[in-house]
Every structure is written in structure tokens, then in C-alpha cells.
Amino acid sequence: MIDFKAQAEELRDELVTRRRDLHMHPELAFEEFRTAGIVADELRQLGLEVQTGVGKTGVVAILEGAQDGPTVLVRADMDALPILEENTFEYKSTVPGKMHACGHDGHTTIGLGVAKLLSKYRDEIAGRVKFVFQPAEETVGGAKAMVADGVLENPHPDLTLGLHLWNSMPLGKLGVGEGPVMAGASIFTIKIAGKGGHAALPNAGVDPIACAAQMISALQTVVSRNIDPMESAVISVTRVQAGTAYNIIPQDAELWGTIRTFKIEVRDLVERRMREITEGIAQAMGCTATLVIEDGTLPVHNDPKITERTRAVLSQYVGEDGLLKDERTMGAEDVGFLMDDIPGMYFFVGASVPSPDGQYYGHHHPRFDFDENALPLSVALMASAVADYVIPSSNS
Ligand code: NI
């Protein structure tokens, strides 16, 4: 049995130093040039075959084993967020308005740590590990761009593994749900055209605001009246735009919002009902309406067999009590594009950290931080999870 825990612990200082360096130099979606450079250099030093510029700023590296076997894709995301950091620690962001506020600095660090540990076992690996350092997760363009550039070919992965540091759970807890664990997200725009006029003479016009109000109310009934109560869906109208003055009925109104679902069939039902509602209400109110839905991410679906097998490996680190098997979120992740038709597992690593003022600051908050003890733990978890598939003797 390979003691990845002890080996990851030996990397602790290196992991913390790297994470802090990345934290100080955050880069937004598709601008991860410095980060990608560090990643590529490190992977080359480990002797891996490295490809850069995959999906603009993505990096792919293959660790080829001595014998043939399955290909395991390990995914880490690299991008930061357009947030002005409010933390005061010495490794806070040096770039005003940019911040690693989701933990992707940690994910990049962990991915490199896993590559370092596993590259020592090249002679024992049956198969290969495909390390994917992805840009632009936050804007949901990175995974798609990498897929378009062929990240899923030559070789095609047999399974995908990924993790997210999760600062709403304590260290030692792992979110290891099976089935859908993160939602697919779509955005929508509804353009409503009426007939403008004097607000004192509403009968002479067609009021798009009254129509928009009916639509907003009716859209709330899709989740409450059309979706099976045992399923999950969210429709949020997040922006309402119309009008310019107290005494003018405007010509147009516009609604924006987001849709979150765990299943494609639920997503399809939501879309059908939204079309019926917007068209039906517009017609009844004398307006015309155009609904445009743009798909952002696919639901992240954990394959039951892989989840069961990998949970057994992960439980060696946190015990059965540490495995939270029902952890799911309506948050979205574009790793779903790297798991579409490829079985895999995406899990959450508890990394909550008390802030100096005793408040909790979640992901995407200007004071977000995570417990750096989760770095060596995550390296060991992922290395063991991968080794279970490609190093026959790793867990025996
Ligand atoms: Ni994230």
C-alpha cells in the first residue's frame, strides 16, 4: 500500500507556498497566462508530456504509465474572480479588483501536488493520468473551450475525477454524493413588446409592464405546480427593465434570470413551460414576447459505481463519518462538460476556516479563505483516488 498521506504531508510547505503565490497573483477567465506558465513548467520538470494553449489558456499533461490500462482525467480549475479582496493577510491579492475567492488557487496547487506524487510511480502505473488545468470556470467557458480543442481525445478518458475545496464544511468532511451533485445552469432573457403611450390613456396602448408582472408571477408556478415535488429546480427572475418616466407607458420590457436543474428532462420541462407561459400571457395581454434561453453548464453527475469505489478509498482518510453522501448544491460547475458521457466523480473537500472577526464568509465573498490543511489532505485524497484505478497495488 502506498502511503500518500505521509508523502502529501512532506509536500505541505511547498503546497502552502505555491497556493499563496497563486493567491497573490489572481488571473481572470482566459487570462491565466502566469498561472498556466507555472503549471506547465512544473509538469515539464516532472517529466510529463505537456500541451499548452488548450482552450486558450488551459494546460494538459499526460503521465504515461509503464503498462497499458485506463485513462483517468484529473481536472483542476485555475481562474480567479473580479472581486476586490478584503482579507488582510500578507498573501492577499496584489491585483486590485481580482481575487481567488473560490479556492481555485488551491485546486491548481492540489493538481500539481497530485502530479508530483503520482509521477514517482510511473513504472507501476497501468494506464495513464491526464491532468487537465482548466481556465475560465467562473465564466463557464473554459471546459467547453478545452473540449472544442480536443481535451477529451487522444486519449479519450475512461473516467474523470475532480474536487472542490468547500468552505461551508469543516476539515475532515467530504461531500461525496452520487447522481447529480451540482446543477446545470441556463440563463434566460424575455423581451416583451407592447405599445407605448400616455400613462393617462392606458386603453390606447398595450402595457408591457403589466404583461411582465403577470409573467413573473406565472413563472413561479413552474417549480411549484409543474415539477415533480421530489425533483429540484430553480427559476429566478433577476432583472426587470422597463420604462423611463412617471407618465409614459413604455414600448418594451425585458426580464433576465437563471434556471438551475439537476436533470436534463427537468430542464426540458422548465423550458417548455416557460415558452408556454411567456407566449400565452403575451398573447392574452396583447403583447409579443421572445424567450431566449442560453445553456451555461450541464448538471454534474457522479457515476454510482465510481462513486462507490472512490468513497471506499476516501473513507480511509476521514472514516465513514466523514463522508457526507447527500451533499448537493444548485450551484453550477462546468466540469460537467468533462463528465458528459464519461463516468466520473466530483467531490467536495471540507475546508472551512474561522475568520478573524468570527463571521463566516462563503465562496465568492471578498473575505473568502479556506483551511490550508486541506491542501495536503486533498493531494492525498486525489492521488489515492486516481491510484486506485491505475496502480493495481496502491490500496492493497
Ligand atoms: Ni469554484
Side-chain angles (χ1 to χ4, degrees), residues 373-387:
N373 288 306
L375 295 172
L377 173 64
S378 299
V379 168
L381 291 169
M382 186 56 89
S384 297
V386 174

Side-chain angles (χ1 to χ4, degrees), residues 2 91-92 112 162 175 213 288 323 389 395:
I2 302 173
Y91 55 92
K92 67 178 186 289
L112 290 174
T288 56
L323 301 180
Y389 290 94
N395 287 300

Side-chain angles (χ1 to χ4, degrees), residues 18 22 32-46 48 50-52 57-61 76-78 107-109 111-112 115 131-134:
R18 170 155 289 139
L22 294 173
E32 306 92 338
F33 299 108
R34 178 182 185 274
T35 310
I38 290 169
V39 167
D41 284 351
E42 169 77 11
L43 294 168
R44 279 193 197 104
Q45 276 174 31
L46 295 173
L48 274 59
V50 179
Q51 213 188 332
T52 56
T57 40
V59 180
V60 180
D77 44 10
M78 304 189 289
H107 301 166
T108 304
T109 303
L112 290 174
F131 291 96
V132 171
F133 290 84
Q134 186 207 301

Side-chain angles (χ1 to χ4, degrees), residues 238-251:
T238 55
R239 186 174 186 265
V240 182
Q241 181 79 29
T244 53
Y246 286 107
N247 59 351
I248 300 171
I249 290 172
Q251 288 271 80

